[in-house]
Amino acid sequence: MLRRAVAVATIAFAALCGNRASADDILVGAHMPLTGSLARSGQAFDEGMRVAVQMFNARSGTHKLRLRVIDDESTPAKAVSAVEKLVADGAVAVIGGYGSNIVGPASDAANRLDTTYITAGAASDELTKRGLKTFFRINNNAGYQRGMVGLLKSLKPASVSIVASTKESPSLLAKGLQRDLSAEGVKVTLHEFDPAITDFKPIINKVKLQDRPDALVMAAYENDYVGIIRAARILKPSVKLIVGAWALAVPKLYQEFPDLMNNVVGASFLPFPVEIEDEEGKGFAEAYRKTYDKDVDYHSTLSFVETTILAEAIAKAAEAGTLRTGGLTEAMRTTDRKTVLGPVQFDATGDNPRFSVAMGQHRAGKIVLVSPRSAATGDLVLPARPW
Amino acid sequence: MIELLLQALFSGLLVGGVYALVALGLAISFGAMRIINLAHGELVLLAAYCAYVVEARAGLDPYLAIPLALVVVTLVCTAVFLMIDRIRDHRELNSLILTFGVGIVLTNAILLVFASDVRTTSSPVLQDATVLEPIYAMNGELIAFALSLVLMVALWWWLRKSWYGRAVRAVSSNRAAATLMGISPVRTELTAFLVAGALASFAGVALFTMSVVQPALGHALTVKAFIVTVLAGVGSIPGVFLAAILLGITEALTVTLASSALQELVGMVLFLLVLFLLPNGLFGARARRG
């Protein structure tokens, strides 16, 4: 009797599962660094993607997306095998990871498998020079560069020191900044460092005693920012401004390191407390807070936008009946949309040439957008250093 | 230029002290058991997160976390030792694989509990600078360096003077002969492993007070400790300290005189050069003769 009941229950469960996999149930794959050195960013990306899918499914009548995320453990090899596994399991597209050195080989694999690949976590210029047909990207070094150079130009510094990680994106960003600022007549000294470095005092001491710059620029990641600013706090170089790139002007860094972050400036999309003008952004912020009990941040906003763009292109291709016959890539190319990050359009290389960031300043727990003028929510406080 | 060099030498000295602190535990388990504990960096990291818990959650000075770190790390060390002790064949190779796996489990456990955020002390006292113009240091670094010196002397004394210390040296020198002298090799190895765990506990707490920690750091710590241990030569505790200082100063001078991008590369070149010219490490051969 018991066996029979178990058998009936099993069949019923299988039938229910089968129903879920209907024709409109579309699998979207993603690989993210949920563990490993990039896990902090990967987890934030994961949250933004999930909210985007949840919101898309709520408003879509006919097409429901099912998201499957594989942890690439912050390694390129795992990311490649994740892409292969997801495509083999029927994913129509892959949302891709964090870090240019990981996204590069993973998007190569997706292109080889003729599968659309979108990322908001890899800013290297090299990625769009490969001529991949299925590769799309929301953000790029050019956008970060524009935002940082715009702020620095407005301050007219005589000299700038750039402290940059030798990882691909920070290194390319640093070289781009060096080129653009030098062209403006600014004396630029570049100090590249190995990502394994833990003591930044010898570098900052060179900045202090040899460079004597007006501004200290960082092209790096969270743990580097903390190390660099802490070394600067000890040695106190006479800079007027400390400015960084991605993931610096985020509320969490201030909450955890208030003594290191106050007044520091970094690339940002939104002020904090979050003020979002458009309806979609407000809906995202509300759904995100409901799901994760916290405010949206830099990474989750990026992944929300990339996932929403992809979801809409999937729906468009599915309506046209070309989802599995190459129509998705074409649908992506027709994207022309205003998002919470600004306008998104893809050029022939899959890049979004309209990407640009504002610059936000940590100010006693708030983030004030200080540049460009059109996006500013307040004036830059100088000297912009935490001590 | 003199100012730059002085700061580089001093920073290198302090960083070297921490390298020594991290490497001492690995050196003792490597010396006594001929086992490279690839989870050693994760044990250090576990202790660092104990310090984080005590400071951030309990609002206490992170150095008060040492008893908690000793308990937590000792428990994990005991479990790891019991697993290693069950290996019957190809002990060196299988223990490498086992401890590598333990390291991955510990990293992910830390990630699960503490998320991937970067952590460091928020204590103003530890973060403040001590200035001896033109040299600057963070108070946390100076304390960590002093702790490293004290622990090195204590470990050296323990190995030379205590019965268990001498037993560890005897097992390290000749396991079979030590057994014939009435020394239990298993108990001795467990002792050495727990001492290594205790050293990792101190190292982790010190690391938290002077640097930034995150779940993925354990592997890098193991690699650094391994480089220092091999550079020093197996069996030499003062050698570990001197090799660590040499590595720290070499790295800091590379940043100052050449490029910061070359820091890790130069450290590795030094390591390979020493291995090529002195296969027993800088102090290994002399220690064995002694």
Side-chain angles (χ1 to χ4, degrees):
Chain A
M1 187 67 183
L2 182 65
R3 269 189 206 166
R4 200 170 166 179
V6 170
V8 169
T10 307
I11 291 165
F13 181 70
L16 281 172
C17 291
N19 279 345
R20 289 183 66 199
S22 64
D24 290 324
D25 192 6
I26 300 164
L27 178 66
V28 174
H31 67 90
M32 280 295 158
L34 301 178
T35 58
S37 60
L38 302 170
R40 179 182 173 124
S41 307
Q43 286 173 355
F45 266 81
D46 185 63
E47 292 168 359
M49 281 192 302
R50 288 183 190 283
V51 173
V53 168
Q54 178 191 315
M55 286 175 65
F56 175 82
N57 285 345
R59 68 174 181 266
S60 168
T62 45
H63 309 295
K64 301 287 179 202
L65 298 187
R66 191 158 45 91
L67 182 68
R68 187 194 295 172
V69 185
I70 294 182
D71 176 13
D72 63 30
E73 299 172 27
S74 309
T75 62
K78 296 265 168 61
V80 169
S81 51
V83 169
E84 287 166 350
K85 168 88 177 126
L86 289 164
V87 174
D89 289 351
V92 296
V94 176
I95 301 169
Y98 192 74
S100 298
N101 62 323
I102 295 171
V103 166
S107 54
D108 272 331
N111 195 64
R112 199 173 60 243
L113 298 165
D114 206 18
T115 302
T116 301
Y117 186 100
I118 186 166
T119 184
S124 164
D125 304 335
E126 302 302 316
L127 294 173
T128 46
K129 288 180 182 166
R130 298 170 299 170
L132 301 188
K133 285 182 293 182
T134 63
F135 179 76
F136 297 92
R137 176 167 76 174
I138 298 292
N139 54 343
N140 44 48
N141 261 339
Y144 291 106
Q145 210 169 300
R146 264 196 300 276
M148 294 172 80
V149 169
L151 170 72
L152 288 163
K153 266 169 69 178
S154 70
L155 297 174
K156 299 184 174 55
S159 62
V160 165
S161 290
I162 303 175
V163 179
S165 167
T166 50
K167 282 190 174 176
E168 193 175 357
S169 279
S171 178
L172 288 168
L173 174 65
K175 283 170 184 144
L177 288 169
Q178 187 180 30
R179 192 181 54 240
D180 285 3
L181 290 169
S182 297
E184 294 290 325
V186 180
K187 184 191 163 211
V188 183
T189 314
L190 175 60
H191 302 274
E192 286 198 290
F193 64 85
D194 189 287
I197 195 171
T198 51
D199 182 17
F200 287 92
K201 283 202 301 302
I203 300 178
I204 298 300
N205 209 30
K206 281 171 89 173
V207 170
K208 177 186 172 183
L209 298 174
Q210 287 186 337
D211 306 352
R212 300 173 190 273
D214 294 322
L216 173 64
V217 175
M218 302 177 290
Y221 297 99
E222 292 101 319
N223 50 334
D224 307 319
Y225 295 143
V226 174
I228 294 167
I229 298 172
R230 180 181 265 170
R233 191 170 173 264
I234 291 169
L235 291 163
K236 296 188 173 51
S238 59
V239 294
K240 292 188 190 77
L241 174 70
I242 295 181
V243 59
W246 41 75
L248 174 62
V250 294
K252 200 162 188 178
L253 270 190
Y254 184 86
Q255 285 158 17
E256 288 167 8
F257 309 105
D259 49 338
L260 296 178
M261 294 300 152
N262 202 30
N263 291 330
V264 171
V265 179
S268 188
F269 301 122
L270 300 166
F272 183 81
V274 176
E275 292 166 26
I276 302 178
E277 301 295 322
D278 70 276
E279 285 308 311
E280 182 183 55
K282 280 180 189 163
F284 168 52
E286 194 179 314
Y288 189 84
R289 195 175 299 116
K290 202 170 163 187
T291 310
Y292 297 109
D293 195 24
K294 60 185 176 186
D295 279 312
V296 297
D297 70 6
Y298 176 86
H299 288 127
S300 56
T301 309
L302 276 169
S303 66
F304 170 77
V305 169
E306 67 175 335
T307 309
T308 303
I309 296 277
L310 177 68
E312 288 172 0
I314 287 172
K316 201 187 286 181
E319 291 296 330
T322 58
L323 182 59
R324 294 183 187 276
T325 54
L328 178 54
T329 304
E330 292 313 309
M332 288 289 284
R333 293 215 182 281
T334 62
T335 299
D336 182 3
R337 191 183 190 286
K338 188 176 171 295
T339 72
V340 68
L341 296 178
V344 174
Q345 258 183 322
F346 297 112
D347 63 16
T349 67
D351 213 354
N352 172 21
R354 301 179 74 184
F355 174 73
S356 185
V357 288
M359 301 303 292
Q361 184 173 33
H362 281 290
R363 218 175 291 160
K366 293 178 179 172
I367 293 170
V368 180
L369 296 187
V370 292
S371 174
R373 262 272 148 253
S374 56
T377 57
D379 292 327
L380 178 67
V381 168
L382 286 172
R385 54 191 188 217
W387 62 89
Chain B
M1 194 59 187
I2 292 291
E3 287 175 326
L4 277 174
L5 284 175
L6 283 175
Q7 181 66 50
L9 288 170
F10 194 61
S11 291
L13 181 76
L14 296 183
V15 168
V18 177
Y19 288 169
L21 198 50
V22 175
L24 279 175
L26 188 75
I28 188 100
S29 61
F30 188 26
M33 301 165 71
R34 291 290 187 273
I35 280 173
I36 302 165
N37 178 12
L38 290 182
H40 183 74
E42 280 76 10
L43 294 176
V44 173
L45 199 60
L46 199 59
Y49 275 90
C50 288
Y52 165 70
V53 168
V54 164
E55 188 189 73
R57 307 280 161 87
L60 300 171
D61 186 284
Y63 272 102
L64 295 175
I66 287 174
L68 173 69
L70 282 170
V71 171
V72 172
V73 176
T74 301
L75 285 174
V76 176
C77 269
T78 308
V80 174
F81 179 82
L82 291 175
M83 285 189 276
I84 291 174
D85 195 44
R86 289 181 68 84
I87 297 171
R88 292 286 166 258
D89 301 320
H90 308 295
R91 198 170 183 238
E92 285 83 0
L93 180 65
N94 286 332
S95 64
L96 268 186
I97 297 165
L98 176 80
T99 53
F100 183 70
V102 169
I104 292 173
V105 170
L106 285 176
T107 297
N108 285 290
I110 290 169
L111 188 65
L112 207 63
V113 176
F114 296 102
S116 50
D117 303 332
V118 290
R119 312 283 187 197
T120 186
T121 184
S122 56
S123 158
V125 177
L126 290 168
Q127 287 194 93
D128 277 351
T130 296
V131 183
L132 295 164
E133 282 286 1
I135 295 167
Y136 293 69
M138 200 172 111
N139 291 341
E141 289 176 310
L142 293 172
I143 295 171
F145 184 79
L147 185 66
S148 181
L149 275 177
V150 169
L151 286 175
M152 192 203 67
V153 172
L155 184 63
W156 181 84
W157 182 89
W158 182 75
L159 284 171
R160 294 274 153 191
K161 304 290 179 189
S162 76
W163 190 89
Y164 269 109
R166 289 201 297 264
V168 166
R169 284 167 54 216
V171 170
S172 163
S173 176
N174 190 323
R175 189 183 164 100
T179 310
L180 290 173
M181 295 296 114
I183 296 169
S184 163
V186 174
R187 200 180 301 161
T188 309
E189 284 175 351
L190 175 62
T191 306
F193 211 68
L194 293 182
V195 168
L199 291 166
S201 306
F202 283 99
V205 173
L207 192 74
F208 174 76
T209 63
M210 55 155 292
S211 189
V212 177
V213 298
Q214 53 166 320
L217 187 68
H219 179 67
L221 291 173
T222 304
V223 171
K224 198 65 89 176
F226 179 72
I227 289 174
V228 169
T229 305
V230 177
L231 205 57
V234 178
S236 172
I237 297 304
V240 167
F241 192 76
L242 293 173
I245 300 289
L246 179 67
L247 186 65
I249 288 178
T250 305
E251 288 181 352
L253 285 176
T254 304
V255 173
T256 303
L257 299 174
S259 163
S260 29
L262 298 175
Q263 176 182 313
E264 293 297 310
L265 179 70
V266 169
M268 198 52 86
V269 168
L270 173 73
F271 171 68
L272 293 174
L273 205 62
V274 168
L275 270 191
F276 183 71
L277 298 172
L278 299 162
N280 291 322
L282 290 171
F283 306 94
R286 198 188 310 160
R288 262 199 291 284
R289 278 198 301 273

